[in-house]
Amino acid sequence: MHNTRMKSAPLDILSSEECDRIHGTTVDILRQVGVHVPHAEARSILADAGARVGPDDRVYIPEDVLLKAIESAPSVVTLTGLDPARRVVIGADHVNFMGGAGLLNILDLEGNYRPATLKDLADFTRLCDALEYLDVNHGMCDPSDAAGPGLYPSAASRIIPNTTKPTALVIDGGKDVEAIAEMASVALGSEAAVRERPFFTIHDSTALSPLRHDPKNAEVLLEACRRGFPTGLVAWPMMGLTSPVTVAGTMAQRNASALVGLILAQTVNPGNPFIIQMTCGGIDMRTGNVVTASPEIGLAGMVGAQMARRYGLPSVIIAGTDAKIPDAQAGAEKTFMLTSAALAGVNLIHGSTSEMDGMMVASAEQCVIDNDIMGMVRHLISGVQVNEETLALDVIQEVSLGDGNFMVHPHTLARFRDLYEPVAFTRRRMQDWASRGAMSARESAAHKARKILDEHCPATLSGEQVAEIEKIAEAYSNER
């Protein structure tokens, strides 16, 4: 695994005074406006922590309660895949790339636009497992042939056996957490092993905007934290629709929603790993359509990363594209979103593969193209090492006074593989490129994706373990 650490300080988009003002507004929202929590146990827990519960199920939280929860939460979360070598550190100066998730439709390699299936989910998981620059796998799509109460246990049964990497799992209530816990115990051998070496995070439980916590996400947080699972709470307000049209106002509101999840987590299980989601979406004011890739959303992610650092919490943002197919728009928007997030020091960049059409479409071709983009961004933030060996004065002297050819020098031969090499993008001369089929980046990406899907089959679990995991998913689906 790369475990990329930023060479230089992250890019701060706010002054310290502006950070303080956003935090101050967040505190005012929690104290004065409150958050609607229609879940009796969650309200009781928050009240025990020091919050005031109003007669309308609205919870009002003083700053000291918030600060205590922030102090309790760890600044770093470590995930280790089913392959122990696949270890990811989320937090501090680490930047990691995580796949897209929850996409309902597929643009397949034959060019068909259709609903996603369980087979698609397994295939995307295998594909993303093979992508060099992707650190954390995810449930790329929501399969239509598993729709219903058992959707996410069924999805997890296709994700866990098909990746060696750490993963993030989407769930929809406390029962789903139970199912995931049983599957994880099968994969690692025991519940104690899962607590000791978590290979997944459950942070995609979603609060509603504005300022409302759905009962199901309260169930998820409580159940996950009681089991010690790394968790979090997504608050994805849409600027101008479910939050203010301004970045600052949206981020203060989003902050308040997510931090209530943090308080719940730390009250139930002090020290429980918590990843804070720090981004938002928007709408096109001309059409009312969802927007996931715009300068404002990129800025919001950068602000969110800076606020997470202020709190000492690991951060996650979503980096999507509104493009419908792998084209110039998709490439430009993904490059912008991934680069801005990485430069800002986001610890976990969600949606790094595909996440197209307003978080509705998955494309294997775009996944491979995004891997090239991730590679460039990773090399960018890794910076330049300056030491005696890299300055290479002796090499410069030897070659300059000799044949003038650095290419065959041992210094070059020992280090040239450190240089970035793309997969879908070409660097060949025109005639060479034409003689090899004149493939576009999209065509080249499709060729690579087919090769991966034909050849790459992670085998970290036995056939018996896979069958047991599928049996658990079926049982939970039938029960609900």
Side-chain angles (χ1 to χ4, degrees), residues 8 58 82 92 141 223 366:
S8 58
R58 208 160 190 87
L82 295 181
C141 51
E223 187 65 28
Q366 189 63 44

Side-chain angles (χ1 to χ4, degrees), residues 46-171:
L46 290 169
D48 290 344
R52 176 174 64 86
V53 179
D56 56 353
D57 294 342
R58 208 160 190 87
V59 177
Y60 303 86
I61 300 172
E63 185 176 16
D64 64 312
V65 173
L66 170 60
L67 295 179
K68 181 180 178 181
I70 290 171
E71 184 178 354
S72 169
S75 60
V76 167
V77 175
T78 300
L79 302 178
T80 303
L82 295 181
D83 176 354
R86 302 280 198 170
R87 183 172 176 271
V88 171
V89 179
I90 304 168
D93 58 354
H94 293 264
V95 173
N96 302 283
F97 297 95
M98 180 171 71
L103 308 175
L104 299 179
N105 301 304
I106 300 297
L107 183 61
D108 67 25
L109 289 168
E110 285 68 48
N112 301 309
Y113 178 82
R114 56 176 176 77
T117 66
L118 283 165
K119 182 180 184 305
D120 291 321
L121 176 58
D123 286 346
F124 270 108
T125 305
R126 288 192 298 117
L127 174 67
C128 289
D129 186 74
L131 297 181
E132 178 184 2
Y133 296 110
L134 188 75
D135 301 293
V136 179
N137 222 320
H138 211 339
M140 180 69 75
C141 51
D142 284 356
S144 60
D145 51 349
L151 169 63
Y152 293 118
S154 295
S157 75
R158 297 306 191 272
I159 297 167
I160 294 171
N162 283 296
T163 184
T164 61
K165 297 179 178 180
T167 187
L169 299 173
V170 180
I171 54 179

Side-chain angles (χ1 to χ4, degrees), residues 274-443:
F274 190 93
I275 304 172
I276 188 163
Q277 193 267 6
M278 295 297 246
T279 192
C280 66
I283 60 168
D284 186 319
M285 290 296 181
R286 297 170 301 174
T287 64
N289 292 335
V290 171
V291 175
T292 61
S294 70
E296 295 80 18
I297 295 171
L299 282 168
M302 298 177 82
V303 169
Q306 191 171 348
M307 294 302 298
R309 281 195 300 278
R310 185 190 193 281
Y311 298 136
L313 297 172
S315 61
V316 57
I317 68 107
I318 301 173
T321 172
D322 297 308
K324 317 307 171 193
I325 61 174
D327 59 6
Q329 178 184 346
E333 289 180 344
K334 290 307 288 286
T335 300
F336 165 72
M337 294 296 291
L338 293 174
T339 303
S340 61
L343 289 175
V346 174
N347 300 128
L348 188 60
I349 306 176
H350 178 357
S352 294
T353 51
S354 206
E355 203 79 11
M356 304 171 71
D357 187 31
M359 302 196 293
M360 292 293 289
V361 174
S363 159
E365 297 154 316
Q366 189 63 44
C367 287
V368 176
I369 291 170
D370 288 339
N371 188 60
D372 275 0
I373 298 171
M374 284 184 277
M376 289 190 287
V377 174
R378 190 184 292 278
H379 278 71
L380 175 69
I381 63 172
S382 296
V384 175
Q385 299 296 322
V386 180
N387 54 44
E388 185 175 348
E389 186 178 349
T390 61
L391 286 168
L393 175 60
D394 56 338
V395 179
I396 295 169
Q397 181 175 350
E398 180 183 341
V399 174
S400 297
L401 297 177
D403 62 7
N405 185 357
F406 285 89
M407 182 171 285
V408 296
H409 192 279
H411 184 272
T412 302
L413 297 177
R415 293 162 183 80
F416 77 91
R417 286 187 174 85
D418 294 337
L419 301 175
Y420 167 73
E421 184 70 28
V423 172
F425 302 157
T426 184
R427 294 169 168 177
R428 298 184 181 278
R429 300 293 294 272
M430 176 68 78
Q431 290 180 335
D432 189 12
W433 170 74
S435 70
R436 294 169 181 264
M439 288 193 293
S440 66
R442 181 178 179 180
E443 290 167 333

